[in-house]
Amino acid sequence: MKRRTVLTSAIAATASLAAPRLARADGPKTVTFVPHADLASIDPVWTTADITRNYSLAVFDTLYAYDAQFKVQPQMAEGHKVEDGGKTVEITLRDGLAFHDGQKVLARDCAQSIKRFGTRNPFGQALMQRVDEISAPSDTVIRFRLKKPFPLLTTALAEVYCAIMPERLAQTDPLKQIPEAIGSGPFKFMADERVPGSRVVFTKNAAYVPRASGIPSFNAGPKIVNVDRVVWTFIPDPSTASAALQQGEIDWWENPSLDLVPQIKTYKDVTMAVKDRTGEIGCLRFNQLFPPFDSAAIRRVALQAIDQKEVMEAVCGAEPSLYKVDVGLFVPGTPMASTVGVEITRAPKDYAKLKKDLAAAGYDGRKIVVLGATTIPTIWAQAQVASDMLSKAGFNIDLQPMEWGSVVQRRASREPVDKGGWNIFFTWLGGFGNISPAPNIAIRGNGAGAWFGWPTNPKIEELWAAWFEAPDEAAQKKICEQMQVAFWQDPTYVPTGMYEQPTAFKTYMKDIPEGWPQFYTLKKLA
């Protein structure tokens, strides 16, 4: 499939969903922001979707947080003490913490939130495997009794998905979504102003008390809010969003279409920058509950069919400096990254041989239901090109276009395809999982507790657990090399390359934090 064909079909798929023209962006106390997708879920434990992660950064707070150098800093925590040779850790809450419903944040709220986080998130699961008990001996102290010392405890609690919520919400079955968004973060989610498919509104939490110390950096330090409202206006059509940015109808566009980047660079009073240095790794994700992808041999054929360079040229050929190939489990150039086996991602594709290999692996020609999000151009481009490669390799592909929110909902189904299930979906893996196995959701092989696709892979699980016990970085890196060797033999997904996504905003938007979209610290001077 040619790149021009992909881009044309991506625009055609989204044009019918294009938002109407907007009025001029509101005054200095309101930020008008165009997110990469509509908000399909308000539960940062139930889903790992980036749109929910970004919403969570506004509405919820965490006990610890990451600064721009990926160092962990106290956030809701005043600090902690370690006793009993590292097997007892007590975290004390700082003063001034309150939920959006006016209730004080208590240690028992935090304890229950951590337990819920620990059932779904891979880093949380690693923590809970080492915990005998999490308790709240007082309203301000959270106590961990550990099976053995766990130096990464505060790092786990710094995960955005370890969002602190009232105990009553944290008691929600983690396989179900919380019914309302009540956090203690610097912004409130305005459910009554929500317009599904187009609009999400946040207002400043006037009762929020920022940390008294520290330097604002990523989502750590004092979260000072300088605006009264943040309005997310979802515009599926990139051309419409680009025009709105140029004409001052919006203040900030999270993810400009990569094909439009050269054009946007010419706009007056618009700044373009890469804020998220963890990048986006392409992911062709298998459902391993049902045939044919319950077979490692068939998954290996799918892996061998994908050429990262061809996919990435379709995704961001207009700005080739933004993409990388020879991508394995982690971002090339970062400490845990490895080149072991990456040649499989760029080897010449002999599709006739792949068809024979596929038949020998036992594929019976059954339909492969593929979920492709048309409302995120980078996903739709990836889905079309990779699906075409799979078809050439002999897979009977049924690529089903839909908006991203529908993908988020449907990928959670564990039903077979004839009852609304799926075989493959496409996404981009971002965040700290791209540079460390600890929070990496896609490599886990823990069956029912794994990310969507639910793979069972004892070897990967053994290596993943061993990584936490490694005595130093060199030992960790060696384990990651072994992990990548095991991954190529029994892949849970196909890495399709990676890119760095620039963001674009009006020049009057100042002090936008590094990392994912956040709305504290920034100022709107127009």
Side-chain angles (χ1 to χ4, degrees):
M1 180 172 285
K2 299 298 184 182
R3 180 171 171 270
R4 181 172 296 176
T5 304
V6 170
L7 295 172
T8 300
S9 60
I11 292 172
T14 57
S16 63
L17 299 172
R21 286 186 61 82
L22 304 171
R24 297 291 295 176
D26 290 323
K29 290 299 182 181
T30 297
V31 171
T32 304
F33 173 78
V34 176
H36 70 271
D38 184 41
L39 181 64
S41 172
I42 60 170
D43 191 338
V45 171
W46 184 83
T47 185
T48 57
D50 287 353
I51 193 67
T52 300
R53 175 201 67 194
N54 296 347
Y55 134 94
S56 184
L57 283 165
V59 173
F60 297 98
D61 221 340
T62 51
L63 291 170
Y64 292 80
Y66 289 96
D67 64 21
Q69 287 71 48
F70 308 129
K71 303 296 184 183
V72 173
Q73 309 292 345
Q75 186 55 38
M76 296 175 73
E78 184 63 39
H80 63 271
K81 64 179 181 179
V82 180
E83 300 176 332
D84 190 22
K87 294 174 65 177
T88 298
V89 179
E90 290 190 348
I91 297 171
T92 301
L93 296 175
R94 64 180 174 88
D95 293 334
L97 301 175
F99 290 115
H100 298 155
D101 60 5
Q103 297 298 307
K104 185 177 180 180
V105 176
L106 303 177
R108 65 173 180 265
D109 300 307
C110 302
Q112 187 61 42
S113 296
I114 295 165
K115 291 174 184 176
R116 187 168 187 263
F117 157 76
T119 63
R120 300 284 303 268
N121 181 276
F123 208 164
Q125 291 168 344
L127 168 62
M128 295 306 292
Q129 288 170 4
R130 293 159 172 81
V131 168
D132 276 331
E133 181 187 30
I134 304 177
S135 62
S138 73
D139 287 347
T140 59
V141 174
I142 308 142
R143 178 182 292 155
F144 292 80
R145 295 197 183 279
L146 304 172
K147 295 179 172 68
K148 56 183 176 180
F150 187 45
L152 294 175
L153 186 149
T154 58
T155 308
L157 300 182
E159 285 290 297
V160 174
Y161 308 100
C162 191
I164 302 303
M165 58 187 68
E167 183 181 33
R168 60 183 176 81
L169 293 180
Q171 289 172 338
T172 303
D173 182 341
L175 296 177
K176 298 179 180 179
Q177 299 188 59
I178 56 174
E180 58 181 329
I182 302 293
S184 64
F187 288 92
K188 295 181 179 181
F189 173 70
M190 305 305 291
D192 59 340
E193 296 191 57
R194 171 82 170 103
V195 179
S198 66
R199 182 180 173 91
V200 177
V201 178
F202 305 92
T203 62
K204 178 179 180 178
N205 176 13
Y208 184 77
V209 178
R211 286 195 64 83
S213 61
I215 299 172
S217 180
F218 199 176
N219 68 317
K223 296 180 178 179
I224 308 296
V225 177
N226 300 303
V227 297
D228 292 337
R229 287 168 61 86
V230 175
V231 179
W232 288 8
T233 302
F234 178 46
I235 304 177
D237 176 37
S239 297
T240 303
S242 178
L245 180 67
Q246 183 182 30
Q247 295 164 16
E249 296 168 353
I250 62 174
D251 302 309
W252 182 5
W253 184 10
E254 178 187 1
N255 65 326
S257 173
L258 298 180
D259 235 53
L260 294 175
V261 166
Q263 174 185 326
I264 295 169
K265 285 181 176 179
T266 69
Y267 290 171
K268 183 181 179 182
D269 299 327
V270 171
T271 299
M272 183 168 289
V274 173
K275 292 287 185 178
D276 178 11
R277 296 297 176 179
T278 61
E280 298 285 345
I281 295 179
C283 174
L284 182 166
R285 182 68 170 184
F286 304 111
N287 186 341
Q288 295 186 213
L289 293 182
F290 305 104
F293 296 121
D294 58 341
S295 164
I298 291 176
R299 295 196 303 277
R300 284 196 297 272
V301 174
L303 170 65
Q304 294 166 24
I306 303 302
D307 186 300
Q308 289 189 358
K309 188 172 189 294
E310 190 170 337
V311 174
M312 295 314 301
E313 285 181 342
V315 171
C316 53
E319 285 289 319
S321 63
L322 292 174
Y323 77 76
K324 293 182 175 68
V325 292
D326 286 354
V327 178
L329 295 178
F330 305 106
V331 172
T334 58
M336 296 300 116
S338 170
T339 59
V340 172
V342 296
E343 60 274 7
I344 198 172
T345 69
R346 53 176 156 78
K349 305 304 174 186
D350 184 342
Y351 288 111
K353 180 179 183 302
L354 287 173
K355 284 182 179 180
K356 292 179 181 178
D357 292 343
L358 187 58
Y363 177 58
D364 57 7
R366 71 180 61 211
K367 181 172 66 175
I368 306 297
V369 173
V370 179
L371 312 183
T374 60
T375 48
I376 301 179
T378 54
I379 290 183
W380 185 232
Q382 177 190 191
Q384 289 180 96
V385 174
S387 293
D388 187 54
M389 293 173 182
L390 293 177
S391 294
K392 290 177 180 178
F395 289 95
N396 178 15
I397 296 296
D398 176 17
L399 176 57
Q400 299 187 5
M402 61 189 68
E403 55 92 24
W404 175 242
S406 296
V407 175
V408 169
Q409 295 291 332
R410 189 165 169 185
R411 70 181 182 176
S413 172
R414 302 187 191 219
E415 295 294 328
V417 293
D418 60 352
K419 294 184 179 180
W422 56 279
N423 296 116
I424 287 173
F425 76 86
F426 289 89
T427 189
W428 295 95
L429 303 173
F432 300 132
N434 283 357
I435 57 177
S436 166
N440 191 308
I441 58 174
I443 62 175
R444 294 296 306 278
N446 53 326
W451 189 47
F452 310 111
W454 307 284
T456 299
N457 189 322
K459 180 61 176 178
I460 288 287
E461 284 298 288
E462 175 188 334
L463 291 168
W464 183 80
W467 185 88
F468 291 96
E469 309 299 329
D472 53 37
E473 186 175 291
Q476 289 179 330
K477 183 174 177 61
K478 184 65 177 178
I479 291 170
C480 285
E481 291 177 356
Q482 297 169 352
M483 194 179 292
Q484 189 154 297
V485 170
F487 175 82
W488 297 133
Q489 287 299 309
D490 193 355
T492 55
Y493 67 98
V494 177
T496 64
M498 72 156 288
Y499 72 96
E500 291 183 323
Q501 172 66 60
T503 193
F505 46 89
K506 302 298 282 188
T507 54
Y508 54 69
M509 297 292 293
K510 303 297 184 182
D511 298 332
I512 291 178
E514 295 296 311
W516 310 311
Q518 300 153 87
F519 302 93
Y520 29 82
T521 304
L522 64 78
K523 302 179 182 70
K524 182 179 176 181
L525 302 182

